[in-house]
Amino acid sequence: MMKNNQEKYYTQEVDVDPESIYCHHDLMGELLIPTHKHDKAQLLYAEGGIVYVTTETKTYFLPARHFMWIPSGVEHSIHPSSEDVMMRNLYFPNEIDDEVFYSKEGIYPVNDLLLQMMLFTNRWNGDLKKESRNFRIALAIKAILPQICGINLPLALPFPKEQRLVKIVAYIDDNLSENIHFSSLAQKFGFSERSLYRLFQKDMGMSFIQFFTIKRMLRALELLIETKLTVNEIALAVGYNSPPTFSNTFYKILGQRPSDYLKGMEILKQK
């Protein structure tokens, strides 16, 4: 019989020793870690698929070669795209002199230095006691993050609260391969362009074009990771007739070209 989620995913053990750094590496094995929070901040790095992290206000998309920083006390649930996703977690106690970086949720690319340091922790599990060698190594991982993580990537989308917008977002989800025009969208759902623009800004905190662009890029990420489609085929699948335009947009959102992202995936598979 399967252990319940709270036992299986060790969430009750993270804060037992408030001064330790807690480490846990494991295959997901299931498709949900229910909503929970902990007193320690979390560095979550995943391999083998996309992990969706849902907070009270947003869903974050954590792809391979990226990590998410989750500050202490933030309620969240975790939904991997596959049971075979490998999760690497380090949980850090708060420190009085912590930089502002550690107080904000964010997703960041993993460079070669951080990747090697995370892989070095592969055999660790459980509490890393203060003043132990492994504790000091883990603390060094935390210390370098503000220096190497200059870009907090916009790999998150808010939940629509207004019921009319819920229907519009569902329509967008179902038609990402189409070049949806804002004017046509407004007309289809009985809005003037001006009123729909205001509704997006008020309810989502972003414009339609920002929302639609991020939606398309997140779908492109899923296809890059989970299929064998070419970059050109993925561009068409998310509504871009011009592969260069798709590549440029992907670069603006993720800081690298789709082709470079695929190369990074291949390097990761060789580790």
Side-chain angles (χ1 to χ4, degrees), residues 110-136:
V110 171
N111 66 11
D112 289 339
L113 171 62
L114 185 55
L115 176 61
Q116 292 302 326
M117 293 181 79
M118 288 301 296
L119 293 176
F120 184 79
T121 72
N122 190 45
R123 296 180 181 273
W124 300 355
N125 208 32
D127 285 312
L128 308 178
K129 296 298 183 179
K130 201 169 186 179
E131 305 306 330
S132 68
R133 183 186 65 174
N134 289 349
F135 181 96
R136 292 194 295 271

Side-chain angles (χ1 to χ4, degrees), residues 215-254:
K215 267 281 185 189
R216 291 164 116 182
M217 292 305 104
L218 293 176
R219 179 58 181 151
L221 263 177
E222 291 175 335
L223 294 173
L224 278 170
I225 292 171
E226 297 173 358
T227 73
K228 294 183 178 179
L229 295 176
T230 66
V231 171
N232 287 1
E233 288 170 334
I234 290 172
L236 290 172
V238 295
Y240 284 84
N241 293 322
S242 165
T245 301
F246 166 68
S247 180
N248 290 337
T249 306
F250 192 94
Y251 180 80
K252 287 178 183 177
I253 299 295
L254 280 109

Side-chain angles (χ1 to χ4, degrees), residues 50-63 68-70 74 76-77 79 104-107 152-157 159 218:
I50 294 175
V51 172
Y52 306 90
V53 180
T54 301
T55 66
E56 290 184 359
T57 58
K58 294 181 180 180
T59 291
Y60 291 86
F61 296 69
L62 177 60
M68 181 171 181
W69 181 264
I70 306 172
V74 173
H76 59 283
S77 57
H79 316 253
K104 299 178 181 179
E105 301 163 19
I107 290 181
N152 186 344
L153 298 175
L155 298 181
L157 286 173
F159 301 122
L218 293 176

Side-chain angles (χ1 to χ4, degrees), residues 12-34:
Q12 292 179 333
E13 301 173 17
V14 170
D15 294 325
V16 170
D17 180 351
E19 294 190 343
S20 74
I21 294 173
Y22 192 86
C23 178
H24 187 85
H25 302 316
D26 200 5
L27 287 173
M28 282 294 302
E30 291 186 19
L31 296 178
L32 171 66
I33 299 179

Side-chain angles (χ1 to χ4, degrees), residues 78-209:
I78 299 175
H79 316 253
S81 60
S82 164
E83 295 179 1
D84 297 325
V85 170
M86 168 65 78
M87 285 178 51
R88 302 185 185 278
N89 300 279
L90 289 172
Y91 296 84
F92 298 93
N94 291 325
E95 298 176 77
I96 296 174
D97 57 349
D98 270 344
E99 297 183 38
V100 174
F101 173 92
Y102 303 112
S103 66
K104 299 178 181 179
E105 301 163 19
I107 290 181
Y108 305 89
V110 171
N111 66 11
D112 289 339
L113 171 62
L114 185 55
L115 176 61
Q116 292 302 326
M117 293 181 79
M118 288 301 296
L119 293 176
F120 184 79
T121 72
N122 190 45
R123 296 180 181 273
W124 300 355
N125 208 32
D127 285 312
L128 308 178
K129 296 298 183 179
K130 201 169 186 179
E131 305 306 330
S132 68
R133 183 186 65 174
N134 289 349
F135 181 96
R136 292 194 295 271
I137 294 171
L139 204 58
I141 292 175
K142 177 185 176 184
I144 68 169
L145 298 182
Q147 279 68 50
I148 65 173
C149 300
I151 303 174
N152 186 344
L153 298 175
L155 298 181
L157 286 173
F159 301 122
K161 297 177 282 294
E162 222 279 357
Q163 193 57 41
R164 293 173 297 171
L165 208 52
V166 170
K167 294 178 180 178
I168 292 173
V169 168
Y171 175 81
I172 293 171
D173 281 338
D174 293 338
N175 294 275
L176 281 179
S177 62
E178 305 298 324
N179 190 11
I180 299 174
H181 294 285
F182 186 68
S183 57
S184 301
L185 188 69
Q187 185 177 21
K188 179 177 180 63
F189 286 91
F191 287 90
S192 68
E193 290 185 46
R194 186 176 182 182
S195 60
L196 184 57
Y197 177 86
R198 286 178 171 175
L199 183 59
F200 257 96
Q201 285 290 162
K202 180 180 178 181
D203 195 76
M204 308 287 274
M206 61 176 62
S207 68
F208 163 76
I209 192 63

